Amino acid sequence: MPTPPPPDAPSPEVTEIERALTRITYLSTRSRRHERLMALAGVPLDRAAVALLRQIAEAEPQRPGELAARLGVEASHVTRTVQQLQKSGYVTRVPDPDDRRAQRIELTAAGGEAIAKVREAGVRGMQMALSDWSPEELRQLATLFHRMVDDFLAHSADENGEPRPAPAGTA
């Protein structure tokens, strides 16, 4: 089913959503925020390593090329980061059951513990920032964020001629 062309002028609501996402992205990618999060988590990882560990933890094990595609980076970036994480004991390479010549990247127990600490520190910070929100407001926000991400992924897949990914929670 082809994607309909975008409207001529974006609605004011969509413009405001884009502005808010830009602000969130800026805040979440600031170097100082990352350093503070790693200090709280007690984990000495750079941003690329955290992104890779998060991706592996979501759907492990995966081939390096799959990880690169999911993260939207060059395969060489994933290869370097995997090598660093492997040296640190956070990931290991395992045979691909579909092709014994290939390898998949899997979290080790230390890697699982590290990403759990990072997530816990992030959730604590978010809990403090959103402490005045009601449980219903938080549920609505989570639902809408998941819906938005699913729609972004579906739109991206349509643009690239890829199969549409399954919505969150349906895999």
Side-chain angles (χ1 to χ4, degrees):
M1 173 180 195
T3 305
D8 291 334
S11 71
E13 296 83 5
V14 170
T15 300
E16 284 304 308
I17 292 167
E18 191 277 336
R19 286 184 63 221
L21 285 175
T22 300
R23 291 176 63 203
I24 289 170
T25 301
Y26 170 75
L27 290 171
S28 68
T29 60
R30 286 188 0 208
S31 178
R32 277 184 275 161
R33 183 195 177 278
H34 176 79
E35 291 166 7
R36 189 170 41 247
L37 180 63
M38 292 306 101
L40 287 171
V43 179
L45 296 170
D46 64 26
R47 285 184 277 192
V50 171
L52 189 60
L53 284 178
R54 283 182 184 271
Q55 184 59 51
I56 295 167
E58 291 295 319
E60 66 169 309
Q62 298 172 59
R63 290 182 181 185
E66 293 170 327
L67 290 166
R70 288 177 180 263
L71 293 169
V73 300
E74 296 292 323
S76 61
H77 295 302
V78 169
T79 299
R80 282 192 298 274
T81 304
V82 165
Q83 288 170 347
Q84 293 167 348
L85 290 170
Q86 195 171 8
K87 285 179 188 173
S88 300
Y90 293 122
V91 300
T92 188
R93 295 174 187 268
V94 296
D96 185 331
D98 299 328
D99 179 355
R100 292 287 181 188
R101 297 168 296 172
Q103 293 182 327
R104 293 185 182 205
I105 310 304
E106 183 174 68
L107 284 180
T108 62
E113 185 178 316
I115 202 62
K117 287 179 180 180
V118 169
R119 285 179 173 156
E120 182 182 323
V123 167
R124 279 195 316 258
M126 191 171 288
Q127 180 71 41
M128 289 187 310
L130 300 176
S131 64
D132 291 337
W133 290 47
S134 73
E136 180 56 29
E137 289 171 323
L138 294 172
R139 266 191 295 284
Q140 288 175 339
L141 180 63
T143 298
L144 292 172
F145 263 142
H146 282 293
R147 180 177 170 191
M148 182 177 66
V149 169
D150 290 343
D151 287 348
F152 282 176
L153 289 170
H155 177 74
S156 174
D158 286 347
E159 286 180 340
N160 298 325
E162 300 167 357
R164 286 178 168 243
T170 62

